[in-house]
Amino acid sequence: MKSDSNLERVLAAGHFAVTGELGPPRGANLETIKEKAAHLKGMVDAVNVTDNQTAVVRMASWAVSLVIKEMGLEPNYQMVCRDRNRLAMQSDILGASALGITTMLCLSGDHPSFGDHPQAANVHDIDSIQLIKMVSTMCEQGRFLSGGEIDTPPHMFVGAAANPFGDPFELRALRLAKKVAAGADFIQTQCIYDFPRFTEFMRQAHDMGLTEKTKILAGVTPLKSAGMARYMANKVPGMSVPAEVVKRIADQPKDKQAEEGIKLLCEQVEQLKTIPGVAGVHLMAIEWEHRVPEIVERAGLLPRPQL
Amino acid sequence: MITAQRKPMEEIFQSVERFGKILLLGCNECVTVCHAGGRKEVAMLASALRMGRLKQGSPLAVDELTLERQCDPEYAEELALAIDKYDAVCSMACGCGVQTIAGRYQGLPVLPMVNTTFMGASERQGVWAERCAGCGDCVLGLTGGICPVARCSKRLFNGPCGGSSKGKCEISPEVDCAWQLIWDRLKQLGQTELYTRIMEPKDWRTARDGGPRRIVREDMAI
Ligand code: SF4
Ligand code: SF4
């Protein structure tokens, strides 16, 4: 094992992994974190703690990670390249590791124009692939990006994101290969509704030998309503929601749409289990943490292994 | 070239409020090409200022002059004899020109009349687009001739991010995704293997992050 990560143990033991997600609050507020985390406890192997997601200011992802770690969950500490330069990133990684954070996810980050401070400087000192390589080098070689020696190196199970639905499609597996070469131990994908395209992406990744070098968790998000399905289909860049998926939710009366969304998700999980190279699912139940126990139960993902 | 856009009229009127006689100073280089501060734009702004101030009942005397190159001390010298007549110089050159004039005539207010915007090229009549961020260590040879620093909204060196959609950037359907363009050109050039290499973190010292930059050419010095 390269780290103390629970997710690493679960994947190494060959279990079909499940990760969840928790969005930090827009305030110095511990109560909502604890409430959200309580719903996820025992339901998932690690919980992504988002880093100023959609470029909106929220409580620091390392702080929220520590809070949920104390509650006995495993945080997957997210870090974006938008808000910090290489000095700040490396010092945060040292601090996170020293305080017991073992799993992290390296991301580019949404552009500030989407968020609540569109006036902000858009840092991008390094990009997400360079970040993956920087963390891996810090952990494995005990060296900073500058080459300088780290007196006590951090230990992290290093993750990255992949979006099979971004364009150009022919680059998606190649870019994944770069992330794996940079040192990504695991990958979480964008939410999947377009199965033909995802299956093709996985075939390419599998053929390139990437599924042997990294563990790919397929992203799933329950559609809560027809409005949400339409929004995901039309408004989110780099997202593919086929018309029949939107129709399936929209054909239900309003009070049955959420139920249909969960049903769809359960079918998706079953289908994902059959795709070669899919090592688990990443469940992004956006502002729906309280429904996670029911969702993982119905999707046949319980109990979670205790290792 | 350096591109610029004239400041809003309201801001311009406010900035010259306290003056009675100004020199409106254009430049014959980049700002002429991008129609922001050449002879023609100087003439237009001068009459707008005269008329506006006449209407307000506090006439403004505006002399017009366009230098060959405002960012060159040699041309800045041309103002030396007449400069004392003015309350201020209102420059329609880029920020480099404004500062050259201000540096030469220390006692006089020198005000910018344009917002200097970016280094770019003309896409078609009336449209200019950013092409270079002056990073000081050009990688165009590795990226199919498309600049990832100036043209990718996240200046990614190993793009594209997940937001690239149908050739456009996640920030707007009006903005091309630089990494789509890079990939298309690499394919055309038969250089796709360049993409598979990880581009290492950039040394930003050669860009603005290393502090203000200078070029010193001993061989050119006199
Ligand atoms: S790589 Fe640097 S120098 Fe070359 S075009 Fe881009 S910003 Fe300009
Ligand atoms: S969509 Fe393309 S241009 Fe825009 S930030 Fe992503 S990679 Fe860069």
Side-chain angles (χ1 to χ4, degrees):
Chain A
M1 292 292 131
K2 61 176 286 190
S3 68
D4 270 335
S5 163
N6 179 55
L7 182 61
E8 181 177 12
R9 282 194 298 275
V10 168
L11 287 165
H15 294 286
F16 192 77
V18 183
T19 53
E21 190 157 300
L22 189 154
R26 273 182 60 71
N29 167 0
L30 283 183
E31 286 322 301
T32 54
I33 304 169
K34 290 185 173 164
E35 195 190 311
K36 283 179 173 181
H39 296 301
L40 298 172
K41 191 159 182 189
M43 302 295 145
V44 292
D45 305 315
V47 178
N48 285 36
V49 179
T50 53
D51 180 13
N52 289 342
Q53 196 173 14
T54 62
V56 170
V57 177
R58 293 173 180 276
M59 191 187 291
S61 56
W62 63 262
V64 177
S65 291
L66 289 176
V67 174
I68 71 165
K69 189 186 154 47
E70 259 175 35
M71 292 175 67
L73 289 98
E74 172 164 282
N76 178 15
Y77 167 42
Q78 294 195 185
M79 184 182 278
V80 300
C81 299
R82 179 194 57 231
D83 305 336
R84 288 174 187 75
N85 71 7
R86 61 189 82 181
L87 277 89
M89 288 173 140
Q90 291 179 102
S91 68
D92 280 354
I93 291 162
L94 291 181
S97 181
L99 292 170
I101 294 172
T102 55
T103 309
M104 72 176 286
L105 191 77
C106 307
L107 303 165
S108 306
D110 296 317
H111 193 269
S113 58
F114 293 102
D116 67 340
H117 289 70
Q119 307 85 350
N122 185 25
V123 180
H124 297 287
D125 177 16
I126 59 176
D127 68 23
S128 60
I129 289 179
Q130 294 162 346
L131 170 58
I132 297 164
K133 197 166 169 186
M134 181 173 83
V135 188
S136 303
T137 310
M138 289 172 76
C139 295
E140 277 151 40
Q141 296 171 24
R143 302 223 166 255
F144 289 115
L145 186 53
S146 63
E149 210 172 306
I150 302 177
D151 68 18
T152 306
H155 297 287
M156 286 284 176
F157 191 48
V158 183
N163 182 6
F165 312 107
D167 287 323
F169 180 59
E170 53 190 337
L171 268 193
R172 292 297 149 185
L174 284 178
R175 187 153 192 265
L176 176 65
K178 284 178 91 163
K179 292 192 172 183
V180 173
D185 301 310
F186 71 98
I187 300 289
Q188 292 172 320
T189 77
Q190 175 66 288
C191 354
I192 299 155
Y193 300 100
D194 181 344
F195 272 74
R197 184 151 165 174
F198 178 68
T199 310
E200 174 55 22
F201 169 78
M202 285 304 297
R203 191 191 61 72
Q204 291 175 11
H206 201 63
D207 288 353
M208 290 165 79
L210 300 175
T211 51
E212 276 165 31
K213 297 184 188 144
T214 197
K215 301 287 185 187
I216 300 178
L217 311 189
V220 287
T221 290
L223 292 170
K224 296 189 236 182
S225 64
M228 174 176 175
R230 279 190 209 104
Y231 180 82
M232 303 273 258
N234 305 324
K235 289 273 152 48
V236 183
M239 177 85 87
S240 170
V241 186
E244 61 269 23
V245 169
V246 180
K247 182 167 183 307
R248 176 168 164 182
I249 306 294
D251 279 353
Q252 296 293 322
K254 264 212 155 55
D255 59 336
K256 298 259 165 52
Q257 291 177 348
E259 169 60 22
E260 194 62 23
I262 296 178
K263 265 195 209 153
L264 172 68
L265 184 135
C266 294
E267 293 165 24
Q268 290 173 332
V269 171
E270 279 315 305
Q271 203 178 340
L272 288 166
K273 283 183 177 168
T274 67
I275 299 176
V278 174
V281 286
H282 174 47
L283 172 61
M284 292 164 273
I286 305 157
E287 294 303 319
W288 231 24
E289 289 83 0
H290 63 285
R291 301 292 295 267
V292 167
E294 176 196 346
I295 294 171
V296 287
E297 162 89 73
R298 288 176 57 186
L301 298 167
L302 291 182
R304 300 313 311 152
Q306 301 300 316
L307 302 172
Chain B
M1 70 173 152
I2 294 175
T3 61
Q5 282 179 293
R6 203 202 61 218
K7 282 180 175 287
M9 282 313 287
E10 204 186 314
E11 184 184 343
I12 291 181
F13 272 112
Q14 232 169 36
S15 68
V16 300
E17 219 167 34
R18 59 202 160 106
F19 304 127
K21 186 170 171 69
I22 62 166
L23 174 65
L24 193 57
L25 190 63
C27 175
N28 212 12
E29 297 278 358
C30 307
V31 288
T32 295
V33 184
C34 68
H35 304 279
R39 193 163 282 120
K40 204 174 78 210
E41 292 74 32
V42 166
M44 275 161 34
L45 180 59
S47 32
L49 281 172
R50 287 183 202 112
M51 268 169 30
R53 284 283 290 267
L54 207 57
K55 259 200 221 147
Q56 289 171 14
S58 64
L60 177 68
V62 183
D63 281 356
E64 303 168 32
L65 181 68
T66 296
L67 297 183
E68 200 45 43
R69 195 159 52 243
Q70 248 188 70
C71 61
D72 191 329
E74 197 181 313
Y75 294 106
E77 218 41 56
E78 285 174 21
L79 308 183
L81 291 179
I83 199 86
D84 289 339
K85 294 195 292 194
Y86 302 108
D87 300 333
V89 175
C90 292
S91 167
M92 296 192 79
C94 73
C96 312
V98 177
Q99 292 180 65
T100 303
I101 302 300
R104 170 65 183 79
Y105 303 104
Q106 299 265 342
L108 200 69
V110 180
L111 305 171
M113 295 292 110
V114 302
N115 291 321
T116 305
T117 312
F118 52 75
M119 283 191 272
S122 173
E123 278 188 342
R124 58 193 147 86
Q125 182 66 28
V127 180
W128 294 268
E130 184 159 21
R131 289 292 179 264
C132 172
C135 77
D137 182 14
C138 195
V139 298
L140 286 176
L142 300 173
T143 57
I146 316 274
C147 175
V149 186
R151 299 179 70 178
C152 167
S153 304
K154 301 176 188 170
R155 60 180 194 188
L156 304 178
F157 278 77
N158 298 279
C161 74
S164 177
S165 185
K166 300 184 181 73
K168 299 297 173 186
C169 173
E170 69 173 28
I171 67 161
S172 155
E174 307 291 313
V175 177
D176 289 331
C177 169
W179 277 95
Q180 174 80 55
L181 298 174
I182 292 171
W183 176 245
D184 291 346
R185 186 97 197 291
L186 288 178
K187 277 200 298 191
Q188 210 170 22
L189 297 172
Q191 293 181 341
T192 51
E193 104 297 337
L194 282 176
Y195 179 78
T196 59
R197 299 188 211 158
I198 293 178
M199 284 178 84
E200 296 298 330
K202 190 167 178 65
D203 180 346
W204 292 110
R205 277 176 299 185
T206 58
R208 249 299 284 145
D209 307 81
R213 294 167 285 176
R214 283 174 91 202
I215 297 173
V216 180
R217 286 275 304 268
E218 302 292 355
D219 57 327
M220 304 292 291
I222 30 172

